[in-house]
Amino acid sequence: MASTMLLITLFHVLILVSLRPPSSTAALLARQSSDLFRVYIGAEFNGVKFSDTPINPSVEFHFILSFAIDYTADGSSSTHGHFNVFWDTDNLSPAQVAAIKHIKKKVRVALSLGGDVVGNGNAYFKPYSIESWVSNAVKSLTQIIREYNLDGIDIDYKHFSADHDTFAECIGRLVTTLKNQGVISFASIAPFDDDQVQMHYRALWNKYGNIIDYVNFQFYAYDSSTTVSQFLSYFEKQSSNYAGGKLLASFSTDSSGGGLSPAKGFFSACRTLKKQGKLSSIFVWSADDSMKYGFRYERTSQLLLASSPS
């Protein structure tokens, strides 16, 4: 009997070993998981175009249109899930989305929901009820996504007039429905280190983390005095907060940006993360601001992602 049990155990071990990828395949998968670059675009109406931004053919590239907001077109009042487009449609139109995706085969385009301000005030997440908000949001966003031939959505609410459980249910059901209906293929969230913000996004993550593909953590919301060692510590902390998620490193090119800037060691921190096998991807806020720098940091980011760890 004992010998029979030993044989069964050995058989199970052999099956498990055979299912594991060889080391070369595992290394390839690890490299493939760290070649995504994302950039927000269109919020500042300064004429930036998709074609202005350098795109390295060795990386997967996501443009994130900023923003679609559930407010009236003039930004005066909340519309309970009826989203309107608030990005620079003159320069980032459906035709221009189609053109960049045709020319650059590894480019995908998403839209971001919420943002910071709208009209003369903050853009609040403000549903009247879960069911009606989700129904309205699914309908209005599906129309925008199909008109623009978009691939995904990003959740970037910063201000809330609803508790964290309501936020989790509304956003979780919205993403689930859009994915199940084949409207989008990926979704991301964009939290930052603020108690109220983290409470809402972690509630969403804890219940619906399995449908969230990327965590665009806004590391540039930390203080501008952030050092390389502090950045690495923050990265570890947020990796724990969003355990199992694809956490992106990030920096800002706008004048008010905080966190660890490229000039103060961001890429050094990223090279450390890459050596450790922890650098999933990089995103930037925003292409609008980067134009004045000639997009040099976007180029550096993509070269780093495309390179082998050293």
Side-chain angles (χ1 to χ4, degrees):
M1 182 67 176
S3 61
T4 300
M5 291 301 295
L6 178 60
L7 287 172
I8 291 172
T9 300
L10 288 172
F11 178 70
H12 285 163
V13 169
L14 288 171
I15 290 175
L16 289 172
V17 170
S18 68
L19 290 174
R20 293 180 61 186
S23 58
S24 60
T25 303
L28 175 61
L29 290 172
R31 287 196 297 272
Q32 288 176 337
S33 70
S34 62
D35 65 352
L36 171 64
F37 178 77
R38 316 186 89 201
V39 61
Y40 289 84
I41 189 170
E44 297 180 14
F45 290 79
N46 66 347
V48 67
K49 300 180 177 65
F50 297 123
S51 55
D52 292 330
T53 309
I55 299 171
N56 189 316
S58 297
V59 304
E60 182 180 354
F61 194 110
H62 290 182
F63 285 107
I64 306 176
L65 293 163
S66 311
F67 292 92
I69 312 177
D70 51 340
Y71 269 66
T72 53
D74 63 359
S76 62
S77 61
S78 174
T79 58
H80 187 49
H82 295 282
F83 282 85
N84 283 297
V85 169
F86 282 85
W87 63 75
D88 183 1
T89 55
D90 287 341
N91 293 290
L92 303 167
S93 66
Q96 287 158 324
V97 171
I100 195 66
K101 290 174 69 173
H102 176 72
I103 297 168
K104 304 290 186 179
K105 300 302 182 184
K106 297 182 78 171
V107 165
R108 300 292 179 266
V109 185
L111 60 77
S112 187
L113 310 185
D116 189 14
V117 297
V118 59
N120 295 318
N122 293 328
Y124 279 91
F125 175 75
K126 191 176 181 180
Y128 301 142
S129 73
I130 294 172
E131 289 75 14
S132 58
W133 188 93
V134 171
S135 176
N136 294 337
V138 167
K139 183 177 180 179
S140 60
L141 286 171
T142 296
Q143 181 177 347
I144 296 169
I145 291 167
R146 288 180 171 162
E147 177 186 359
Y148 279 80
N149 189 26
L150 304 179
D151 304 285
I153 64 171
D154 173 67
I155 311 302
D156 191 13
Y157 277 103
K158 295 174 170 64
H159 309 284
F160 307 91
S161 291
D163 62 66
H164 56 278
D165 289 325
T166 299
F167 178 73
E169 279 303 308
C170 284
I171 301 301
R173 293 186 195 183
L174 169 64
V175 174
T176 299
T177 303
L178 292 177
K179 281 194 168 186
N180 287 345
Q181 293 181 355
V183 179
I184 61 172
S185 58
F186 60 80
S188 58
I189 56 175
F192 57 94
D193 196 32
D194 170 89
D195 288 345
Q196 283 298 315
V197 170
Q198 290 277 57
M199 182 185 298
H200 283 76
Y201 281 95
R202 290 187 67 186
L204 171 61
W205 182 259
N206 290 337
K207 191 163 186 180
Y208 289 98
N210 62 308
I211 60 166
I212 305 298
D213 301 282
Y214 311 109
V215 180
N216 282 14
F217 198 85
Q218 298 178 45
F219 287 99
Y220 45 85
Y222 287 106
D223 192 87
S224 59
S225 63
T226 298
T227 64
V228 170
S229 61
Q230 286 174 326
F231 180 91
L232 294 172
S233 175
Y234 297 152
F235 194 92
E236 287 297 318
K237 178 182 177 181
Q238 302 310 331
S239 294
S240 175
N241 283 339
Y242 298 93
K246 191 166 185 175
L247 182 73
L248 281 72
S250 63
F251 64 92
S252 171
T253 54
D254 74 16
S255 58
S256 61
L260 182 62
S261 70
K264 294 183 178 180
F266 174 80
F267 294 118
S268 175
C270 284
R271 282 190 287 271
T272 297
L273 291 172
K274 192 174 181 73
K275 289 177 183 177
Q276 296 171 348
K278 298 176 182 177
L279 183 65
S280 175
S281 314
I282 295 172
F283 82 87
V284 178
W285 175 271
S286 68
D288 308 50
D289 300 291
S290 296
M291 271 209 306
K292 61 181 175 288
Y293 301 113
F295 300 98
R296 64 176 180 266
Y297 299 130
E298 281 78 358
R299 289 188 176 89
T300 303
S301 296
Q302 293 173 73
L303 284 171
L304 190 156
L305 290 169
S307 66
S308 299
S310 58

